[in-house]
């Protein structure tokens, strides 16, 4: 079993959980501060502990430097809708945590892969293809709906979404829907005046399809399809991902260094149960096979 984790996705989920709990306790106007970071770490580690104590081959896929560049060369407004968050104080604080999270993860028995010009999605797609072709079963952990593409494209793949606490189902028309209807989360507007209901009618009525898909709309469709289809990342980026994976060894589990990290960052809650958790991780690494776990209870 190869487990591929969308690091950015699970980090944002844990950040959202922390925000919700703190606002519930301190009021809707409460803004997360530096003092609340240990609480976030507690939630994040609580999410990943069961994975790391059940599976030996875990890969955390991270965003690489310049990860948006190639898609913005096709469509300049790709994810530009997220730029406004850069002035948000909570988001600024979260951004400072990503390098620390990656450093922390390197102390566990896993790989932490960040490839220049590749988004985490690109890393997960390329590695899913690699390991499925090697005969491995692949488990992807992410709430990103884009990964339904993996279920469509490959056998022996499961995608578990921690946000909804269930396994993702195949969506045969996911690429068409994202390219034509659009994807607001990525700033992709789709084709003007074609929504979900219209697309459903178009798929049933060839005459309507021809009417709506004018030559101009066909060009728009092909452009958006290029950036939403995870198999379309440039060959040199795919090669770089494969090279990085092949040249990266699994990190050694370093219980003492993790404990030092907890002390350095004043993570008292994380220290409380560390002895038991580190023992569970060591037992997993010493076993001959992965554990059988219920992800719905875990995440």
């Amino acid at each position: 079993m190869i487990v591929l984790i969308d690091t950015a996705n699970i980090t944002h989920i844990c950040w959202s959980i922390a925000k919700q709990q703190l606002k519930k306790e301190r009021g809707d106007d409460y803004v997360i501060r530096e003092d609340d970071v240990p609480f976030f770490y507690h939630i994040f580690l609580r999410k990943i502990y069961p994975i790391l104590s059940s599976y030996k081959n875990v890969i955390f896929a991270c965003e690489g430097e310049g990860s948006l560049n190639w898609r913005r060369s096709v469509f300049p407004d790709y994810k530009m809708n997220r730029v406004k968050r850069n002035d948000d104080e909570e988001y600024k604080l979260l951004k400072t945590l990503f390098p620390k999270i990656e450093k922390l993860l390197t102390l566990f028995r896993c790989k932490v892969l960040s490839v220049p010009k590749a988004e985490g999605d690109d890393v997960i797609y390329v590695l899913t293809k690699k390991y499925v072709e090697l005969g491995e079963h692949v488990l992807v952990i992410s709430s990103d709906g884009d990964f339904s593409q993996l279920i469509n494209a490959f056998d022996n793949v499961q995608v578990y979404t921690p946000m909804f606490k269930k396994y993702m189902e195949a969506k045969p028309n996911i690429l068409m829907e994202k390219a034509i209807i659009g994807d607001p989360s990525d700033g992709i507007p789709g084709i003007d005046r074609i929504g979900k209901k219209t697309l459903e009618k178009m798929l049933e009525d060839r005459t309507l399809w021809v009417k709506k898909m004018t030559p101009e709309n066909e060009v728009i469709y092909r452009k958006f399809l290029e950036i939403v289809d995870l198999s379309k990342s440039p060959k040199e980026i795919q090669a770089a991902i494969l090279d990085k994976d092949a040249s990266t060894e699994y990190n050694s589990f370093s219980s003492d260094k993790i404990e030092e990290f907890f002390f350095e960052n004043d993570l008292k809650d994380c220290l409380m149960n560390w002895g038991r958790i580190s023992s569970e991780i060591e037992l997993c690494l010493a076993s001959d096979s992965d554990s059988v776990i219920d992800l719905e209870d875990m995440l």
Side-chain angles (χ1 to χ4, degrees):
M1 171 78 78
I2 303 294
V3 181
L4 304 176
I5 299 178
D6 183 349
T7 310
N9 182 263
I10 200 166
T11 298
H12 278 98
I13 288 173
C14 293
W15 186 256
S16 178
I17 293 171
K19 283 177 60 175
Q20 290 173 8
Q21 292 191 19
L22 288 168
K23 288 178 182 294
K24 185 177 180 180
E25 294 172 5
R26 304 176 189 182
D28 291 338
D29 296 331
Y30 186 76
V31 176
I32 293 182
R33 304 172 299 183
E34 187 74 36
D35 292 347
D36 300 312
V37 169
F39 180 56
F40 159 75
Y41 272 119
H42 171 69
I43 293 172
F44 179 79
L45 288 164
R46 193 173 60 187
K47 289 291 186 186
I48 67 170
Y49 280 156
I51 304 170
L52 294 167
S53 60
S54 301
Y55 299 107
K56 292 189 283 294
N57 299 316
V58 179
I59 301 175
F60 286 87
C62 305
E63 302 295 310
E65 184 178 356
S67 62
L68 303 180
N69 290 355
W70 81 263
R71 286 185 171 90
R72 283 184 175 168
S73 71
V74 177
F75 178 58
D77 287 338
Y78 177 69
K79 290 190 176 179
M80 287 298 291
N81 57 331
R82 304 184 184 187
V83 172
K84 61 184 179 182
R85 293 188 303 176
N86 291 336
D87 294 327
D88 181 89
E89 293 301 320
E90 290 182 340
Y91 186 65
K92 287 181 183 178
L93 178 58
L94 174 59
K95 286 176 68 176
T96 67
L97 298 179
F98 279 100
K100 296 178 181 179
I101 290 169
E102 291 185 28
K103 179 182 177 182
L104 172 60
L105 291 173
T106 63
L107 304 180
F108 289 91
R109 204 281 181 179
C110 64
K111 290 186 185 183
V112 182
L113 295 188
S114 173
V115 178
K117 301 181 181 179
E119 294 191 67
D121 292 14
D122 297 319
V123 175
I124 289 175
Y125 181 89
V126 171
L127 295 188
T128 297
K129 183 175 186 293
K130 169 186 173 177
Y131 285 109
V132 166
E133 290 177 351
L134 290 173
E136 295 280 0
H137 183 90
V138 175
L139 170 64
V140 175
I141 296 179
S142 176
S143 295
D144 189 337
D146 287 346
F147 290 130
S148 61
Q149 295 180 46
L150 303 178
I151 306 170
N152 296 340
F154 308 112
D155 295 326
N156 295 325
V157 176
Q158 289 179 291
V159 181
Y160 183 79
T161 166
M163 180 179 292
F164 300 108
K165 296 189 175 182
K166 64 179 183 179
Y167 287 95
M168 197 174 289
E169 297 179 358
K171 297 178 182 177
N173 295 323
I174 182 66
L175 293 174
M176 183 185 296
E177 290 177 4
K178 290 196 66 173
I180 293 179
I181 299 173
D183 184 353
S185 66
D186 286 344
I188 299 172
I191 297 174
D192 191 34
R193 298 180 181 276
I194 299 182
K196 186 174 182 179
K197 290 184 178 179
T198 301
L199 179 58
E200 289 174 354
K201 293 178 182 177
M202 289 166 59
L203 293 173
E204 296 175 356
D205 185 343
R206 181 62 185 174
T207 302
L208 181 60
W209 177 277
V210 173
K211 179 181 177 181
K212 291 290 186 180
M213 293 302 288
T214 63
E216 293 79 9
N217 283 346
E218 186 71 28
V219 170
I220 295 171
Y221 172 56
R222 295 298 170 188
K223 177 174 65 176
F224 290 148
L225 193 61
E226 183 177 354
I227 62 175
V228 302
D229 187 343
L230 294 175
S231 71
K232 301 297 186 183
S233 59
K235 297 300 181 184
E236 61 271 21
I237 293 178
Q238 295 190 31
I241 293 169
L242 292 173
D243 288 345
K244 185 67 175 289
D245 183 50
S247 63
T248 303
E249 299 290 336
Y250 281 92
N251 299 305
S252 299
F253 176 54
S254 182
S255 179
D256 291 342
K257 289 184 178 179
I258 293 171
E259 192 168 337
E260 287 177 15
F261 182 93
F262 293 163
F263 275 112
E264 290 170 1
N265 291 276
D266 196 28
L267 304 179
K268 297 183 179 66
D269 287 342
C270 298
L271 281 165
M272 286 178 58
N273 299 311
W274 180 236
R276 174 183 59 80
I277 294 165
S278 62
S279 295
E280 291 175 354
I281 294 174
E282 288 172 347
L283 283 173
C284 170
L285 298 179
S287 67
D288 294 329
S289 61
D290 295 324
S291 303
V292 176
I293 59 174
D294 188 342
L295 287 173
E296 295 183 7
D297 289 340
M298 179 186 74
L299 297 175

